Amino acid sequence: MTAEQHANLYEQHEWKHPTQVAGIPWKNPVATASGTFQYAAVRWFYDVSQLGAVTTKGVSPVPWEGNPGIRTAEGPSSNINAVGLQNPGVDHYLEDDLPKLKAINATVIANVAGHCDDDYAEVVSKLDDSPADMLEINVSCPNVSAGGMSVGTDPVALSRLITRLRKLTDKKMIVKLTPNVTDITVPARAAVESGADEVYLCTAAVAEDGTVVPSRDRTLSADELGAVTVNRPGLYALCTGDVASPSATVLVSATESGPTDTVVKL
């Protein structure tokens, strides 16, 4: 059976829970998390076009091989991975991955990765006139422009990067923050004030000794969310779960007066 024949097996469905994220219409409030989605694998199990949005794997300016093995470790109810953002590069993404998703009318969030500010700028420039609906800037990568640290841990470096990227595109831009900071509101505010339309949090953090910290230790309170959104309304995140239980990033749509609706990234 061909992929086209298989697609015809899906029943037409009219969603009754549409929403908008940064003004972009979603069919429903469910999206895939970045780094976990592969269209070629999942298309045989469900109709990808019916998701609220598809966040594709990180895209870099050139192909990345990722980390050497061992890349995954399974537990009784968890799967921890360190793939290292393996991907075939932005040119392949524009020629192959993105057109396939848009051909089935999926709402696509393109995740952008880089090892330096120039990497991010190159990818964003190439995606600017693409059919991608939104961009997600992954600032948890080690960044030589930030002294080898994740640019997401340095609000000054983060502000410099997002200010630069904001000038390169009018697309809605999400910044995926790193949780490996003492106060997540500091980089969140830096991202928003520099032009980000949304910010996302991760679902796990890494402690100084290399162990995984449950994401509940990095949860934002409603007061903290309000503090972040004073200057600019948007979509912000609360992390739930830990590495020993199912987890999701709950995105909270917030205004100056406080959090409102939620969106879940599985």
Side-chain angles (χ1 to χ4, degrees):
M1 181 182 296
T2 66
E4 290 75 18
Q5 290 172 327
H6 190 274
N8 291 333
L9 298 178
Y10 298 127
E11 295 182 359
Q12 294 295 318
H13 185 81
E14 181 180 355
W15 284 96
K16 299 180 180 179
H17 303 286
T19 189
Q20 288 193 4
V21 177
I24 303 299
W26 288 16
K27 298 181 181 72
N28 56 77
V30 177
T32 62
S34 58
T36 65
F37 177 85
Q38 185 181 31
Y39 176 58
V42 304
R43 66 180 181 177
W44 303 105
F45 300 99
Y46 59 88
D47 184 356
V48 173
S49 70
Q50 295 305 306
L51 290 167
V54 172
T55 310
T56 52
K57 297 182 71 173
V59 180
S60 55
V62 296
W64 285 358
E65 294 184 0
N67 295 329
I70 300 171
R71 292 181 169 190
T72 61
E74 293 189 21
S77 60
S78 64
N79 187 316
I80 304 172
N81 75 80
V83 175
L85 295 172
Q86 177 182 353
N87 75 95
V90 65
D91 292 335
H92 180 274
Y93 178 79
L94 290 169
E95 295 172 2
D96 187 85
D97 300 332
L98 183 56
K100 287 178 179 177
L101 288 168
K102 295 309 297 182
I104 61 170
N105 197 33
T107 299
V108 179
I109 304 172
N111 181 277
V112 179
H115 287 320
C116 63
D117 290 6
D118 289 344
D119 283 356
Y120 287 100
E122 181 177 346
V123 176
V124 169
S125 294
K126 290 186 174 182
L127 291 174
D128 178 49
D129 60 354
S130 77
D133 298 281
M134 308 176 78
L135 305 182
E136 181 178 87
I137 313 301
N138 182 0
V139 297
S140 61
C141 311
N143 191 302
V144 296
S145 298
M149 295 293 291
S150 161
V151 70
T153 64
D154 182 345
V156 175
L158 178 60
S159 178
R160 180 189 65 230
L161 173 63
I162 300 308
T163 298
R164 178 178 178 181
L165 300 183
R166 182 72 284 170
K167 296 175 181 178
L168 299 176
T169 183
D170 291 327
K171 289 186 180 296
K172 298 299 183 180
M173 193 164 60
I174 304 161
V175 175
K176 179 184 176 185
L177 299 172
T178 173
N180 299 314
V181 292
T182 303
D183 183 356
I184 193 66
T185 65
V186 175
R189 181 183 293 278
V192 170
E193 292 180 348
S194 300
D197 298 288
E198 316 286 359
V199 295
Y200 287 171
L201 299 186
C202 303
T203 53
V206 179
E208 291 182 0
D209 61 0
T211 58
V212 176
V213 178
S215 58
R216 61 189 176 197
D217 294 342
R218 292 291 188 269
T219 299
L220 289 179
S221 68
D223 289 340
E224 289 173 320
L225 276 171
V228 173
T229 59
V230 168
N231 293 328
R232 185 168 183 171
L235 196 72
Y236 297 87
L238 292 172
C239 291
T240 62
D242 57 40
V243 295
S245 64
S247 63
T249 303
V250 181
L251 305 180
V252 181
S253 181
T255 65
E256 279 104 344
S257 60
T260 53
D261 299 328
T262 61
V263 175
V264 178
K265 292 190 79 181
L266 301 176

